[in-house]
Amino acid sequence: MRLSLARREALWAFAFLLLPLAFFLLVRLWPAFQALWLSLYEWNADPAKRAFVGLEHYQQMLGDKLLRKALLNTLLYTLVGVPAQLVLGLGVALLLNAVERFRDLFRAIYFAPYITPAVAVAWVFSWMLSPNFGIVNEVLRLLGLPAQPFLQSPGQALLTVTAVVVWQNLGFQGVLFLAGLQNIPREYYEAARIDGAGSWALFRHITLPLLNPVIVFSAVIGTIGFLQLFTQVVNLNFTDQGGPLSSTLALALYIYQQAFSRFELGYAAAITVLLFVIILLITLVQLRLLSRRVEY
Amino acid sequence: MNNQIRRWVVGAIGLLGLAWAQNVTITYWQYDFKSKVEAVDELIKRFQAANPGIKVIHQTFPYDAYQQKVASAVPAGQGPDVVNLYYGWVPTWVKAGYLQPLPDSLAKAVDSDFISMVQAAKVNGKLYGVPTAVRSLALFYNKDLFKAAGISAPPKTWSEFLEDGKKLTVKQGDRYVQIGYGIAPDGQDHHLVREVLLRQLGGRPYSDDVKKVTYNTPEGVKALTLYTDWVKQAGIGVPNFFPGNNGYRDGFIAGKIGMIIDGSFAIGTISSGARFNWGVAELPTERPGARKANFGSFWLHGLTPQATGEKREAAIKFLQFLTSEETQRYWLEKVGELPARKSLIKDPKLSLNPVYGPFVLSLAYAKATPFVDEAAQRKVMVDAINRVLLQNVNPADSLKQAAAEEQKVLDEFWK
């Protein structure tokens, strides 16, 4: 039987797609289902002693004050971190786009933090932010400002962690936005300028709408990233993880603690499911709200 | 002829079976700490020489990934047969099915030959592990800084400690250049409040059956107040004065902290790092000659449910070897941790040693906190301290809250 070219191409495509599909099902989706299953059991290392408890773990969540704190903190991280990261990333991209010379050098400099291991970044920052010996407070003192406790204060620690993460993600955001900017045809700007548009109008009516796909992508990826925040939280305050006084405790860290220092794997799995649902809902809402079709 | 062949065949099968039975491989896991890893490697060599049929595989993991590895490997049947763990984790691990009880013979040996704090390795009357070594707390002090501040001897009472601390604290403007005491609520200090100060003042942290929190008393408030006043009233220390993971110890090693309270496990790090004269003293007491108290802790070796049949036999043999007198002596020389057996602790050579001595003497009255959920209970006490230091909550209110939170943890475990 002879197949049309289009069909043959489609068959090949499906053949190649099978591998990533199998990978996705086995490595991504299957464990997710297992987590769902695990969340309904009281975990025991001895399979004979595992007990089905139904929705008990989900009930347990309702009375868990620390979980509420972790949830609230995680939402705060996201609410502050994502917009900050978008605005600053766009700012860096606009500046990078404006220079011709050394653009690649600057791009590399801004991108470097993103590929630096998060643990190393966290450790260096925990030194720089030290109240007594840190260089940040040294600078504040030089400027005649009072020294700040940063990570040592329950009031400042969460914002400090957020700032470190934003700083680290800045390069990635910048490069994404830069690519978006360079995809906008120059003719649009030229035409608008001839019509007498100022730079704000150019930005407002050309740059921003045409960057919409990048903004949506960045916002979604950034949100998921902040909702799963873990490494920096653990390493910026290593001894008192999530501290001081649970002020930096994030959901992912709480899950880790439940699973691997309290061995409550069933309960940890239940919280994982909660995190999954939160991410799913927020992402759907974001896609809805942000990616309005733009006419041009 | 036929008979002979048969006998020969049966004999061969028997021999084969014997050879098979003698080749048992067991796995030992611990976290990665250089001197301990080297010591265990050497001990395995000695053990295998004495027990030719048993092979021991030794695997280590970074400390922060250790429990995670155990949690995922044991249920999958790939983890260790013999596992090293902190005594405070035992109830949690037992509840989740990661440890099996040890035979009565070992429990009896622990009752008669090991110092009493090792009883903390029992849950509901059953023994779940045996330690090679134990640790206690003492005061490390920088002799050079003491001399420069005109102090001749380490403090014997907490009021002397406070006066010395003030002399050792140096400030430039709002910044501390040097501090008297390396205060660290999440280091050893939560033990200091609960097991040392509280008991010295006549209180006790828990009821005998460990089902009730009993520190929310005037003694408890006094203990927490005494401790937090070092920061709030006297200013002889600031938490996180020196950055990093073990800032209080690093700051001491850097010569910027006059005194720290740390465990015997810190001896190695301090003696290899410190570039000055330092000394160790028993913890101060409230008045000269007043009641002494100390916090003792240990890492123990337990068996996972994987060790069954021949493997269990071999694993128990290895466990006995790891906790034998001979091994404990070697452990002290090699790792610097104090032996867990009564007989060795009584050795005067050890108690007169200027560095080990104070720790060994403390073992006589040291108590190990009977944790049921170490992570949660540690957090309760660290938070109680931090509420006072960072949020200006008064010690009585903070302690009251801590007692309520910790009672919930205990109730949760015993329900």
Side-chain angles (χ1 to χ4, degrees), chain A residues 74 77 118-119 122 161 165 224-237 241-242 248-257 260 275, chain B residues 64 68:
Chain A
T74 305
Y77 278 127
V119 177
V161 173
V165 180
I224 294 174
F226 272 102
L227 289 174
Q228 297 180 336
L229 194 60
F230 177 79
T231 317
Q232 285 92 345
V233 181
V234 170
N235 290 289
L236 277 168
N237 194 344
Q241 289 182 351
T248 60
L249 184 68
L251 213 46
L253 173 60
Y254 190 61
I255 292 170
Y256 184 88
Q257 288 174 341
F260 301 119
L275 179 59
Chain B
D64 19 318
Q68 183 190 353

Side-chain angles (χ1 to χ4, degrees), chain B residues 118-191:
Chain B
V118 178
Q119 295 293 331
K122 288 183 182 171
V123 178
N124 289 327
K126 284 184 196 152
L127 181 72
Y128 286 91
V130 195
T132 303
V134 290
R135 309 101 69 88
S136 61
L137 301 179
L139 183 81
F140 288 82
Y141 64 102
N142 183 323
K143 287 186 179 171
D144 293 356
L145 292 184
F146 266 54
K147 213 174 181 180
I151 312 166
S152 54
K156 292 252 184 304
T157 64
W158 293 115
S159 39
E160 280 177 38
F161 169 85
L162 195 63
E163 290 315 307
D164 293 349
K166 283 181 188 162
K167 288 181 197 156
L168 291 162
T169 303
V170 184
K171 251 180 139 179
Q172 268 176 14
D174 69 334
R175 180 163 34 165
Y176 288 87
V177 184
Q178 181 184 308
I179 57 173
Y181 177 60
I183 201 160
D186 39 21
Q188 297 303 313
D189 288 0
H190 59 103
H191 300 305

Side-chain angles (χ1 to χ4, degrees), chain A residues 78 82 219-229 279 283 286:
Chain A
T78 313
V82 175
V220 171
I221 293 289
T223 304
I224 294 174
F226 272 102
L227 289 174
Q228 297 180 336
L229 194 60
I279 292 180
T283 310
Q286 271 181 328

Side-chain angles (χ1 to χ4, degrees), chain A residues 251-291:
Chain A
L251 213 46
L253 173 60
Y254 190 61
I255 292 170
Y256 184 88
Q257 288 174 341
Q258 287 295 327
F260 301 119
S261 72
R262 306 195 59 225
F263 284 25
E264 294 281 349
L265 275 92
Y267 187 48
I271 307 173
T272 313
V273 173
L274 173 74
L275 179 59
F276 170 76
V277 172
I278 293 173
I279 292 180
L280 186 71
L281 288 179
I282 293 184
T283 310
L284 287 176
V285 170
Q286 271 181 328
L287 287 174
R288 260 265 141 94
L289 285 180
L290 290 173
S291 67

Side-chain angles (χ1 to χ4, degrees), chain B residues 111-281:
Chain B
D111 292 345
S112 60
D113 303 341
F114 285 71
I115 62 168
S116 62
M117 73 158 102
V118 178
Q119 295 293 331
K122 288 183 182 171
V123 178
N124 289 327
K126 284 184 196 152
L127 181 72
Y128 286 91
V130 195
T132 303
V134 290
R135 309 101 69 88
S136 61
L137 301 179
L139 183 81
F140 288 82
Y141 64 102
N142 183 323
K143 287 186 179 171
D144 293 356
L145 292 184
F146 266 54
K147 213 174 181 180
I151 312 166
S152 54
K156 292 252 184 304
T157 64
W158 293 115
S159 39
E160 280 177 38
F161 169 85
L162 195 63
E163 290 315 307
D164 293 349
K166 283 181 188 162
K167 288 181 197 156
L168 291 162
T169 303
V170 184
K171 251 180 139 179
Q172 268 176 14
D174 69 334
R175 180 163 34 165
Y176 288 87
V177 184
Q178 181 184 308
I179 57 173
Y181 177 60
I183 201 160
D186 39 21
Q188 297 303 313
D189 288 0
H190 59 103
H191 300 305
L192 181 68
V193 172
R194 182 173 33 210
E195 291 295 344
V196 179
L197 295 176
L198 175 68
R199 286 187 194 273
Q200 283 187 353
L201 294 167
R204 49 212 283 261
Y206 309 98
S207 62
D208 286 337
D209 59 3
V210 204
K211 290 187 177 165
K212 287 272 170 284
V213 172
T214 55
Y215 55 68
N216 188 19
T217 57
E219 292 82 25
V221 175
K222 220 173 139 190
L224 186 59
T225 310
L226 176 73
Y227 174 80
T228 47
D229 276 356
W230 295 345
V231 174
K232 303 206 66 135
Q233 302 296 324
I236 62 166
V238 274
N240 294 298
F241 161 73
F242 205 74
N245 192 352
N246 283 306
Y248 70 104
R249 192 182 300 151
D250 295 341
F252 179 77
I253 291 170
K256 296 197 177 297
I257 297 178
M259 303 178 275
I260 58 169
I261 288 171
D262 212 343
S264 35
F265 46 82
I267 294 173
T269 319
I270 290 174
S271 58
S272 64
R275 299 274 172 273
F276 51 84
N277 295 305
W278 53 278
V280 180

